[in-house]
Amino acid sequence: MKKILSILLLVIVTSSSCEKDDICDANTPTTPRLVIDFYNITTPSVKKNVTNLKVVGDGMKEGIVFNSSATGDDQYLTSGTSISIPLKTDANSTKFSFTLNSGNPNPTLIDIDEVTFNYTRENVFVSRACGFKTLFTFDPTNPYIHTAVPSTKTKWMRVISIEKSNIANENETHVKIFF
């Protein structure tokens, strides 16, 4: 009888020390991506579609995946008026190569601009299950560096405008690019 009582007591003590699993809810805001909208340079209030835009981060072999259902190079291409791209959470700048008309058989129609975004980072605790997220603030004196590739070519991005200095969510436009 004492053995049964001892085993029962041991089971009760060990089961009472369990706690529920922490699971990060999919709707919990995480590190926001940089939201860029494209506009017509001649009519600045009108959004403009980019055609076969490929964005490659510095040090990446392939581009940012915009279309996960596509295969090959098509998964790295987007055509639209807005994109969202990730910034580095372990550095104060991120360099991207923006290729307009990527994959066009006529090389004279392919335009490449490089943009380095400069910012500060703040790690914010979300929860025990989700961990931390990083918020970004553009450098007020030098938010970006913009060059054409090669430098002898004209930049296809004519104007870059920082709309929101603080990147805290993906519900607003942070940068407008006019071309």
Side-chain angles (χ1 to χ4, degrees), residues 52-103:
N52 291 330
L53 179 68
K54 183 175 183 178
V55 181
V56 180
D58 194 32
M60 293 176 63
K61 293 182 191 286
E62 301 294 339
I64 295 171
V65 175
F66 291 112
N67 187 358
S68 58
S69 62
T71 58
D73 285 340
D74 288 344
Q75 66 184 329
Y76 308 114
L77 301 178
T78 186
S79 295
T81 60
S82 182
I83 61 170
S84 297
I85 56 177
L87 296 173
K88 289 183 180 178
T89 58
D90 60 351
N92 287 333
S93 68
T94 307
K95 183 178 183 179
F96 294 101
S97 172
F98 293 83
T99 305
L100 189 64
N101 298 318
S102 179

Side-chain angles (χ1 to χ4, degrees), residues 23-56:
I23 298 173
C24 185
D25 183 12
N27 296 322
T28 303
T30 57
T31 298
R33 294 174 293 171
L34 177 66
V35 178
I36 301 173
D37 285 350
F38 297 95
Y39 286 84
N40 190 325
I41 189 72
T42 57
T43 314
S45 61
V46 177
K47 284 189 172 186
K48 185 175 179 180
N49 280 332
V50 290
T51 306
N52 291 330
L53 179 68
K54 183 175 183 178
V55 181
V56 180

Side-chain angles (χ1 to χ4, degrees), residues 110-132:
I110 298 173
D111 291 310
I112 303 171
D113 280 12
E114 288 183 345
V115 181
T116 301
F117 294 102
N118 301 311
Y119 48 84
T120 57
R121 300 165 284 137
E122 177 187 2
N123 291 324
V124 177
F125 182 73
V126 176
S127 69
R128 190 170 61 154
C130 299
F132 287 85

